[in-house]
Amino acid sequence: MRDVSNLAVSGDYPAAAEARRDLRDARFQRFIAGLPALSLPQPEILALEDGTLPGYTLVQGEIALKISTFLTSRHAGLSREESDTIGTAAMECLENVRVHAYSSRNARRKGWLIVGLHDQATSTSSLAILDLGVGVVATIEDRLGVLAKVFSNRADYLEEAVTGKVTETGLKHRGQGFRILRTFVQGAPGRELHVLSSGAMVTFSSQGVVKRLTEEFRGTIVCLQIRNHPLTTVVT
Amino acid sequence: MSILHVDIAKDFSPILGPRHKADGPHSGEEFLETVLEPAFQKHDIVVFALDTVKIYSASFFEEAFGGLVRKHGLAPVEKKIRFSATERAYLIPKIETWMREAAEPERRAR
């Protein structure tokens, strides 16, 4: 029996249909599932839930707690520090979405989308945070300056952004969400971080970094996947 | 010598928010202004309990304790501020690192 679990969605969401279309266009299902052998119809693999919560600034902590609970309750092998890491990274990613992803307050009304998915068959949990903002590369482009010349394509730009050497603010202690997640997935096998933005996708894992160009996608998808050994998975 | 014990979850919030007040409730900036700074000014030693917090962000702690260092300097802050944790013992050196990093000149020039 497949367990598909949704998480909350925050933001006033007239753009839900648009978000779904962008997800489809980005072929999000393919990489969030990562399991072509299952051959299930897409709606069973990826379930989206949209809703309205007035005052998006009020819910960041609550949503991050839901994300953390969603993942940690299904992966009993995670330590307290690792559980905290997930929550912390979720908080940072949500902050990125709200503060950095949208160029104007009006644009923020497009909201964002959070999707949780747990596949019992493979003991894999996936968590994705989507925004319809300007994209990671556009966010840091001005900051790159002369560095921009060394990047040959958008995938290189994106990797640079995710590895945290350049942030929108130019301050080293900002932009911690990606760095925290990257360290988390590289610390153990069975974990992957996918960042899809600005026409490129970068995947981090303990195996290294894989990057490629994709179809143009307006916005950013950050996807965290955790796959456990079956013995350490909590059956819900 | 006056020692104040602060349980962050009970005395502020179990769910810690983002960096700045403008970004949401229970932010690091709000904690700095309403809890940390007054406690720092009033007491000789302030001990912050970390275990009961449900969720936190790195930005929260960096803004709060790093912000205190940016305002007063590292030495007086290190002299007064303590942390207590069992389950989250790992977090103490992280916060202390953020405090030390906040003392670096390039970070103070915000």
Side-chain angles (χ1 to χ4, degrees):
Chain A
M1 186 69 184
R2 191 164 305 282
D3 172 25
V4 178
S5 305
N6 288 315
L7 292 183
V9 176
S10 178
D12 185 13
Y13 222 89
E18 188 179 11
R20 291 169 190 270
R21 192 162 52 246
D22 283 345
L23 279 171
R24 182 201 62 208
D25 293 345
R27 297 175 184 171
F28 179 59
Q29 293 92 331
R30 289 173 55 183
F31 79 77
I32 194 176
L35 304 165
L38 289 177
S39 298
L40 290 173
Q42 288 182 345
E44 291 187 50
I45 297 176
L46 179 66
L48 303 179
E49 182 178 327
D50 56 81
T52 57
L53 283 173
Y56 54 80
T57 61
L58 302 178
V59 295
Q60 183 172 336
E62 285 77 4
I63 293 173
L65 186 59
K66 284 184 180 179
I67 290 171
S68 177
T69 302
F70 168 76
L71 292 174
T72 58
S73 64
R74 288 164 173 81
H75 297 275
L78 294 171
S79 68
R80 179 59 183 264
E81 182 173 359
E82 289 176 317
S83 300
D84 281 351
T85 296
I86 291 172
T88 300
M91 290 278 283
E92 301 293 343
C93 287
L94 291 172
E95 189 166 3
N96 284 347
V97 168
R98 289 194 303 98
V99 178
H100 301 304
Y102 299 122
S103 55
S104 72
R105 206 165 180 79
N106 186 48
R108 287 185 191 180
R109 297 203 181 100
K110 291 175 181 172
W112 60 91
L113 193 63
I114 299 169
V115 183
L117 175 72
H118 181 71
D119 182 2
Q120 289 186 342
T122 60
S123 301
T124 302
S125 295
S126 302
L127 184 280
I129 300 173
L130 161 80
D131 71 64
L132 299 174
V134 297
V136 173
V137 169
T139 303
I140 67 160
E141 209 156 26
D142 291 341
R143 281 280 171 190
L144 285 170
V146 293
L147 267 178
K149 294 178 182 175
V150 307
F151 299 122
S152 57
N153 61 48
R154 296 188 303 272
D156 291 336
Y157 265 96
L158 186 60
E159 183 188 10
E160 170 66 24
V162 176
T163 51
K165 295 169 189 168
V166 177
T167 67
E168 181 187 11
T169 61
L171 295 168
K172 292 178 183 175
H173 62 287
R174 299 294 183 86
Q176 298 200 59
F178 285 149
R179 268 176 278 173
I180 292 168
L181 282 176
R182 187 166 49 84
T183 302
F184 174 74
V185 300
Q186 291 177 331
R191 302 172 184 175
E192 290 185 352
L193 169 65
H194 310 275
V195 181
L196 177 65
S197 188
S198 308
M201 186 171 95
V202 180
T203 297
F204 296 89
S205 70
S206 59
Q207 304 297 309
V209 182
V210 177
K211 53 190 173 182
R212 65 179 173 84
L213 298 177
T214 67
E215 296 172 36
E216 279 291 344
F217 171 74
R218 185 169 47 76
T220 301
I221 297 173
V222 178
C223 175
L224 174 66
Q225 286 187 314
I226 304 174
R227 185 173 59 254
N228 260 6
H229 186 284
L231 291 177
T232 61
T233 298
V234 175
V235 178
T236 56
Chain B
M1 174 178 284
S2 65
I3 301 176
L4 176 67
H5 290 268
V6 178
D7 185 322
I8 296 177
K10 292 177 182 172
D11 299 328
F12 184 66
S13 172
I15 297 176
L16 304 183
R19 178 180 296 273
H20 296 298
K21 286 190 289 189
D23 298 331
H26 312 307
S27 65
E29 184 182 12
E30 180 186 344
F31 180 75
L32 172 62
E33 290 177 359
T34 62
V35 177
L36 183 50
E37 175 76 30
F40 177 79
Q41 294 286 359
K42 193 172 181 180
H43 299 276
D44 298 311
I45 300 291
V46 188
V47 183
F48 292 93
L50 304 172
D51 279 342
T52 49
V53 169
K54 286 185 178 177
I55 194 164
Y56 67 87
S57 69
S59 295
F60 175 93
F61 284 116
E62 202 290 325
E63 188 65 26
F65 292 98
L68 192 68
V69 169
R70 282 187 282 273
K71 185 172 182 181
H72 297 282
L74 182 61
V77 172
E78 283 189 326
K79 188 177 178 183
K80 282 192 175 186
I81 301 299
R82 304 282 188 275
F83 300 97
S84 70
T86 302
E87 291 184 2
R88 286 206 175 93
Y90 76 88
L91 184 56
I92 297 175
K94 285 189 176 185
I95 297 175
E96 291 172 342
T97 298
W98 291 324
M99 289 165 59
R100 284 193 296 274
E101 288 178 346
E104 294 173 9
E106 68 268 26
R107 297 195 179 209
R108 299 193 68 179
R110 301 205 316 163

